[in-house]
Amino acid sequence: METVERVARSFVNGSPIAGNGTTAITDPASVRERVGAFAESDANDVDAAVRAAHAAQPAWAALGAIERARLLTAATQALVPSVDELAQLLTREHGKVLWESVADLRGGINTYAYYGGLAERFATELVIDDHRGHIIEARRPMGVAAVIVPWNFPSILCALMLAPILIAGNTAVVKPSPFVPLTLVALLHAIAERLPAGVVNVVTGSAIEVGVALTTHPLVRKVSFTGSTATGREILKQAASTLKNCTMELGGNDPALVLASATVDARLVSEIGKAVFTSSGQICYGIKRIYVHRSRYAAFVSQFAEYTNEIVVGNGRDSRSTIGPVNNKPQFDRVNALIADARAQGATVRALGKKADASSWDDGYFIAPTVITDIAHAADVVTCEQFGPVVPIIAFDDEDEAVMRANDSEYGLAASVWSDDEDHAFALGARLEAGSVFINVHKLGASDVAMPFGGFKQSGIGRGHGFIALEEASELQVLAKRINL
C-alpha cells in the first residue's frame, strides 16, 4: 500500500486550501530523505485567511476571556496523547534530538494552559469612583493578529505568541517557518478544529509572498514575530504603512560572564555547556560568547573543552546523540563560514565531540561542537548571533572591562553572571544591557513562562511571556464620567 505523504497546507475558516504546488521538507540529518512537503500559498490565500479571522473576531471577543480560555485550554490539552508521535515528526523535520522535541511540544501545551489561568485576572476591570467621577480601565482586543513563527522551537514559540493573542479576544493568522512547518501545522489544525471557525487560520509559504501579504494587509492590526533582527527590520517597514502594533523577539548575542569569584567546577562548566550547545546552539537566548576572568580562564577553557569533547553529534532519533545537526543549509553554511573566518584570523579553533555515526556524517548538516579561543573581541564569531554549536571564549582582567565588552553589541536579549557571591552577581547584572540577566544559570528553561521576556536595543520590541503578553495583545480603554471639571 502506497504511503500518503504528509503535506502542511494552509487552513482557512475551518477548511484546508490546496495551494499552488508544494515544496519538499527533508531531514537535516539525512538531506536526501524527504519527510514531507508544504503547500505554497499566495497573497489571495492570505487575504482569505485574514478576512476569515476578521469575520470571526467579534463573536470570539464576545465570549469573554474566561470562556475563551476554557475553549483554548480544552483544545490544546486534547493534543497531549499525540506528543510522542509528533515528537518523532518534529525531530525528522528539525534535526533536534528527541527529548528536545518532546520538551518543545509539552512546553507549548503547558503554555496554553498557563495563559488560560490568567483569564480571570485579564477580565477584571479597574473601577475607580472618587472625586474625579466614575472611571473604568479595561483591556480590549485589537482585532486580527499575524503570528510569524521561527523554526528553532516552533511549538512553544508559537504558543507564547498565540495563547495571549487568543485569550485577549483577537483572532489569528499563523505563518509557520518554511523550514519546519509539518508539526506546527498539524498542531494548529487540531486546535483550529476545536475552536469556532476562523479563530485560528494558517498560511504556509515563503516570506517573500505570504509573509509580506500578511504584514501589509490592512485588516491585520497586530504582528507578533519571533526571529532574526534582519527580518524584524523588514517586518517593521512593512507594518509601518498601516501603523500596526508590533511585538518582536529578535536576535541575541548573549554573553556569559564568569567572575573571579566563581568556582570553576564540573557543575558550572556543565551548566554553561548546556546553555551553549543544547539544540546545537539554536536557542535565541542561549550563550553565544563567554568572558572569563583571567585568573579562572585557563581552568575554565580546559574543563569546558573536556566537557565539549564528550558531546555526541548525530541523528536526533539516535539515542546516542547529545545534539543533532543544524536545521537548514543557509544556517549550516553560515556557521561554517564563521568558523573558517576565525581560523583565517589565527584563532585557536577546536572541533570537538564525537560522531554517533561517522559513515553518515556527510549526509546531513552536522557541525562538530567548536570552541574558539585566542580570538579578537571584534571578530565576526564574537559579535554576531552564531546560532550554531560554536562559542568563543575570551579572557578579561577586571569587571568594568567585562561589562563593557558584554554591552558592546547591537543586541541585548539575555546575559548571565557566574559567581559564588550572588549579591555581587545581581549588582553587576544590573549593569548589563539585556532584557533578561540570569545568575548562575542560563540554560533552556532559565526564562520561565511567567517571567516577562524581551530584548534591549535591536533584540526586540515589547515583551512576551507573563501577564504582560496579554497587555501587549490588547488595547487599554478608559471609560470615564468626569465630575468637578
Side-chain angles (χ1 to χ4, degrees):
M1 181 177 178
E2 186 177 352
T3 302
V4 177
E5 181 177 62
R6 182 183 289 269
V7 178
R9 298 191 185 279
S10 294
F11 195 87
V12 174
N13 205 30
S15 300
I17 293 177
N20 303 308
T22 60
T23 297
I25 299 295
T26 59
D27 187 340
S30 181
V31 296
R32 291 189 294 271
E33 181 180 339
R34 184 167 170 137
V35 180
F38 68 89
E40 290 282 2
S41 295
D42 58 22
N44 290 329
D45 296 335
V46 173
D47 183 64
V50 172
R51 292 186 183 280
H54 181 70
Q57 193 273 327
W60 178 247
L63 291 175
I66 294 172
E67 177 62 9
R68 293 192 298 268
R70 185 189 70 79
L71 291 172
L72 181 60
T73 302
T76 52
Q77 286 299 308
L79 300 171
V80 171
S82 304
V83 165
D84 290 340
E85 178 186 353
L86 288 171
Q88 292 283 341
L89 175 62
L90 181 54
T91 287
R92 288 185 67 210
E93 66 171 330
H94 182 279
K96 63 177 70 180
V97 295
L98 198 56
W99 77 261
E100 294 169 348
S101 293
V102 171
D104 189 5
L105 291 162
R106 292 196 184 279
I109 293 170
N110 291 340
T111 296
Y112 290 108
Y114 164 76
Y115 277 104
L118 296 181
E120 185 173 354
R121 176 184 171 189
F122 179 77
T124 302
E125 299 178 343
L126 176 63
V127 180
I128 302 170
D129 286 296
D130 60 15
H131 66 281
R132 296 170 297 166
H134 182 65
I135 303 167
I136 301 172
E137 294 182 13
R139 308 299 308 193
R140 306 295 185 216
M142 293 179 172
V144 178
V147 179
I148 303 174
V149 185
W151 51 261
N152 58 328
F153 276 80
S155 172
I156 192 168
L157 292 177
C158 179
L160 284 165
M161 294 183 281
L162 182 60
I165 280 169
L166 295 180
I167 298 294
N170 309 288
T171 51
V173 179
V174 182
K175 181 191 177 299
S177 166
F179 290 120
V180 189
L182 300 174
T183 309
L184 182 59
V185 169
L187 289 169
L188 293 171
H189 283 187
I191 294 170
E193 288 169 353
R194 292 173 170 86
L195 298 178
V199 171
V200 174
N201 307 271
V202 175
V203 286
T204 57
S206 70
I208 295 174
E209 182 165 10
V210 172
V212 172
L214 191 54
T215 55
T216 57
H217 198 291
L219 292 180
V220 171
R221 298 309 318 150
K222 168 77 178 180
V223 176
S224 189
F225 169 71
T226 300
S228 73
T229 296
T231 302
R233 293 189 193 108
E234 293 305 310
I235 290 174
L236 276 178
K237 293 176 187 176
Q238 295 155 15
S241 61
T242 50
L243 291 177
K244 301 183 193 308
N245 180 288
C246 294
T247 300
M248 297 184 172
E249 182 208 312
L250 304 178
N253 184 21
D254 312 88
L257 278 61
V258 180
L259 306 186
S261 52
T263 299
V264 176
D265 57 14
R267 189 207 69 84
L268 180 145
V269 168
S270 175
E271 290 292 299
I272 292 179
K274 291 172 185 175
V276 171
F277 294 117
T278 296
S279 199
S280 297
Q282 299 167 128
I283 297 176
C284 57
Y285 65 89
I287 292 174
K288 312 297 193 308
R289 48 195 170 120
I290 305 172
Y291 298 101
V292 184
H293 190 271
R294 198 170 299 278
S295 65
R296 299 287 182 264
Y297 184 77
F300 179 86
V301 170
S302 174
Q303 292 184 45
F304 191 78
E306 290 177 6
Y307 169 90
T308 304
N309 207 37
E310 294 303 311
I311 292 173
V312 180
V313 187
N315 191 308
R317 290 175 290 158
D318 187 331
S319 61
R320 297 173 296 175
S321 300
T322 308
I323 63 174
V326 296
N327 171 254
N328 55 76
K329 184 66 159 58
Q331 195 61 26
F332 177 76
D333 291 342
R334 182 172 182 273
V335 175
N336 277 315
L338 288 170
I339 294 171
D341 178 71
R343 281 199 177 97
Q345 293 189 42
T348 300
V349 178
R350 283 182 279 183
L352 301 167
K354 299 173 175 60
K355 299 176 181 179
D357 182 1
S359 65
S360 64
W361 185 264
D362 293 334
D363 295 338
Y365 300 134
F366 296 108
I367 299 176
T370 302
V371 175
I372 298 176
T373 54
D374 306 312
I375 185 75
H377 174 70
D380 286 348
V381 75
V382 179
T383 61
C384 77
E385 181 181 36
Q386 310 98 344
F387 227 59
V390 53
V391 67
I393 307 175
I394 299 173
F396 68 86
D397 292 302
D398 62 68
E399 292 179 356
D400 288 340
E401 176 192 359
V403 171
M404 180 274 293
R405 289 188 171 186
N407 291 340
D408 183 21
S409 173
E410 66 182 282
Y411 299 109
L413 189 60
S416 57
V417 180
W418 303 77
S419 170
D420 294 351
D421 183 346
E422 290 192 354
D423 290 339
H424 178 61
F426 271 94
L428 187 141
R431 298 168 60 191
L432 299 179
E433 297 168 354
S436 296
V437 179
F438 308 115
I439 306 302
N440 293 330
V441 69
H442 198 141
K443 64 186 177 183
L444 188 66
S447 180
D448 183 78
V449 67
M451 296 163 53
F453 186 79
F456 286 16
K457 298 182 281 190
Q458 295 194 49
S459 282
I461 296 173
R463 290 294 183 270
H465 303 204
F467 188 79
I468 196 171
L470 286 163
E471 296 176 328
E472 293 265 353
S474 58
E475 298 282 13
L476 178 62
Q477 184 183 65
V478 175
L479 302 170
K481 177 184 176 182
R482 294 294 307 276
I483 59 177
N484 299 324
L485 296 176

